[in-house]
Amino acid sequence: MGKSASVAPIDSATVRRRSLGAKLLTGDAGMGLNCLCCPFVSAFWSTRIYLIPCMLIYTWRFLSGPFYWVARKICCACCSRYTDKKFKADASSIGEGKWKKDDIKWERASVYYASLLTEEQMKAGVRVKLFEAGIEPKDVAQGQVGNCWLIAALACVAEHPGLVRKAFVTKTANPRGKYVMRLWDWSLRRWATISVDENIPLKAANGKPIFAQPNGHELWVSMIEKAFAKFVGSYAALDGGQTAWALNALTGDPVFKLKKEGGDEGAEGAKWKRLDMKVEAGAENKRECSFWGTDEEFDNTTVFFMMRAYAKRQALLGASFGGYKPEGSKEEGDGEKGEGDGKKGLNGEDMGPQGLVAGHAYSILDAMSFKDKSQPGGRLKLIRLRNPWGKYEVRGPHPSRSPLHRPCTSPASPLHLPCSGPGRGPTARRSGRRTRR
């Protein structure tokens, strides 16, 4: 679980050593001076945070528009299309896997997404952008690599658009096709700046992207996925991973997870143990991490209300479970009790009777409880999940299109649940089931 922001503490001795101007800008000059200089300080920060960046962006758009082709002719060497020589558009960037060289072709993302525009959209002036009409979790969908852990993390972060924009040093679509992002390198304890070109791998057979499948005509999903691939060595290296690690790389904040140990489904005797993520300093494998146990343990009810509290504070939450165990099995492990129903996920994973996919990473959007005397403790506890695949609806009493959700338009019903669409059901399971965060 990763919080969406972190603040480094400043001790009083550090504040005293700063100049008067620095104290005024941070509100540490005392109440009288702060109030007296408030209009000037507000003007300063407004200019620095909003006005100057906006002027730079519009200046760049002006220069890169009608005059870009002139500059390109004059300065061909420095203004040509950017090509990343360290992460080339070839098999070395794909890595070892089931993809053969002849099955892949590379194309610039701006060209590919422009080819998807309809005639009406082109007439209306629609163009490919880095961010189109805001940032939303529905912008993200998983491709054919097993990186649901990364897609789930991106969907979580997309609930907070400011975090996504913060990861991009390049703020708008770049005519040269160069995009700069930053990811937290925990092994080095610093931010890593990563530059990539806009070449993305497509299937030679149908010309569709092999990996992330963004919705719409925006580039940010493909570009940040490519930045992660370059960060860890290749696209194939993204196959299988920890959502917690991805959240840490995107935010720079510490993360932890809760693991269920012992007890049957819904049993109050079950305990959830807190595990903190740790990365060895200087590790060559950027994704190599481990989880160390702590003395903290919680019961089912406490975990549910912890999720509810973190969700209200806009923390980033994820969930997964290891696999299904046969009914009556006493073996310990990460599995859920109950046979799978024979259906499989996109990559052959087991799917249980509720439509949940074993080993698959989900985003936790919310946790809600409602009065229900038929439930233990007189409360019905629901967890709202997002599936990065955008398919495989949850089965049971509360799928995303359940009649029980009509209260969002009918206040007379006892359950007041928000409306939702495919892949964003309001509940996947009761709080007694195993959830990782």
Side-chain angles (χ1 to χ4, degrees):
M1 181 185 302
K3 295 183 180 179
S4 59
S6 61
V7 180
I10 301 177
D11 55 63
S12 57
T14 302
V15 172
R16 287 194 297 270
R17 288 194 298 267
R18 291 158 59 190
S19 65
L20 179 61
K23 292 179 181 179
L24 283 171
L25 293 178
T26 55
D28 297 317
M31 183 179 295
L33 279 175
N34 288 338
C35 292
L36 183 64
C37 300
C38 178
F40 305 101
V41 174
S42 298
F44 171 82
W45 285 118
S46 298
T47 302
R48 179 175 175 178
I49 295 174
Y50 298 106
L51 182 59
I52 293 178
C54 286
M55 290 178 63
L56 291 175
I57 289 175
Y58 281 111
T59 301
W60 168 251
R61 287 181 179 176
F62 175 75
L63 294 177
S64 63
F67 298 103
Y68 177 71
W69 66 275
V70 176
R72 186 173 179 179
K73 293 292 184 181
I74 298 174
C75 307
C76 183
C78 61
C79 295
S80 60
R81 290 278 189 170
Y82 173 72
T83 301
D84 189 353
K85 296 181 180 180
K86 295 183 179 179
F87 198 69
K88 300 179 180 179
D90 57 24
S92 63
S93 298
I94 298 295
E96 296 182 2
K98 61 182 179 181
W99 304 282
K100 298 180 180 179
K101 182 178 179 180
D102 296 337
D103 297 334
I104 300 171
K105 68 175 183 178
W106 294 81
E107 188 171 359
R108 291 197 172 267
S110 59
V111 176
Y112 169 75
Y113 291 118
S115 68
L116 302 180
L117 293 171
T118 64
E119 199 170 317
E120 291 76 12
Q121 288 174 323
M122 288 188 285
K123 289 180 180 179
V126 177
R127 54 184 180 142
V128 177
K129 300 178 181 178
L130 183 59
F131 306 108
E132 178 187 26
I135 299 170
E136 299 177 301
K138 69 179 182 180
D139 297 338
V140 187
Q142 185 179 347
Q144 290 194 349
V145 70
N147 64 345
C148 61
W149 58 275
L150 174 59
I151 300 301
L154 293 178
C156 278
V157 175
E159 297 283 349
H160 311 278
L163 289 178
V164 177
R165 295 183 185 275
K166 189 177 179 181
F168 279 82
V169 178
T170 304
K171 302 298 184 183
T172 59
N174 190 319
R176 292 190 62 210
K178 180 178 180 179
Y179 294 91
V180 183
M181 286 146 280
R182 65 172 200 162
L183 298 175
W184 178 254
D185 188 341
W186 199 347
S187 64
L188 299 178
R189 308 298 192 267
R190 62 177 176 81
W191 289 99
T193 302
I194 302 170
S195 301
V196 298
D197 61 31
E198 62 174 359
N199 287 303
I200 58 174
L202 309 177
K203 300 176 189 176
N206 56 19
K208 293 183 179 180
I210 296 177
F211 302 112
Q213 309 281 341
N215 298 313
H217 308 97
E218 50 194 334
L219 302 171
W220 76 267
V221 177
S222 295
M223 294 300 99
I224 202 165
E225 183 191 45
K226 188 169 185 178
F228 267 99
K230 183 177 181 179
F231 189 52
V232 301
S234 68
Y235 279 100
L238 295 177
D239 191 3
Q242 297 278 358
T243 301
W245 178 86
L247 292 176
N248 171 258
L250 288 165
T251 65
D253 291 326
V255 295
F256 69 88
K257 71 178 180 179
L258 299 177
K259 183 177 181 181
K260 185 178 179 182
E261 295 183 346
D264 293 332
E265 175 185 337
E268 290 302 320
K271 293 296 182 182
W272 297 77
K273 190 175 182 65
R274 171 172 169 156
L275 305 175
D276 288 342
M277 191 182 85
K278 294 185 179 180
V279 177
E280 295 296 331
E284 292 184 5
N285 183 358
K286 301 297 184 183
R287 278 181 44 207
E288 185 177 352
C289 62
S290 57
F291 288 86
W292 293 72
T294 66
D295 296 332
E296 297 183 39
E297 290 186 348
F298 311 95
D299 58 26
N300 289 334
T301 302
T302 303
V303 168
F304 173 81
F305 285 104
M306 282 177 62
M307 281 192 287
R308 184 177 177 183
Y310 274 112
K312 285 185 176 181
R313 288 168 174 78
Q314 297 187 331
L316 306 180
L317 312 175
S320 67
F321 63 94
Y324 288 96
K325 297 189 297 185
E327 290 283 357
S329 173
K330 296 183 179 180
E331 297 179 4
E332 295 183 359
D334 291 344
E336 282 291 346
K337 186 176 178 182
E339 292 279 5
D341 59 4
K343 293 185 178 181
K344 300 292 183 181
L346 286 181
N347 300 311
E349 301 91 339
D350 291 333
M351 184 182 297
Q354 288 188 324
L356 298 176
V357 181
H360 187 49
Y362 294 85
S363 305
I364 297 179
L365 304 180
D366 203 356
M368 301 170 283
S369 67
F370 308 91
K371 290 183 179 180
D372 187 345
K373 294 182 180 180
S374 65
Q375 301 297 326
R379 305 289 297 184
L380 172 64
K381 302 181 183 71
L382 304 177
I383 300 172
R384 193 180 192 189
L385 302 182
R386 178 185 295 281
N387 184 354
W389 285 342
K391 58 176 65 177
Y392 298 125
E393 283 289 328
V394 170
R395 296 187 290 276
H398 299 287
S400 64
R401 291 189 174 90
S402 169
L404 294 175
H405 302 168
R406 290 178 184 173
C408 63
T409 56
S410 176
S413 177
L415 293 183
H416 295 275
L417 301 179
C419 296
S420 56
R424 186 172 178 161
T427 179
R429 47 187 148 176
R430 301 288 169 83
S431 62
R433 284 183 177 263
R434 184 176 186 279
T435 307
R436 278 186 193 166
R437 300 185 292 166

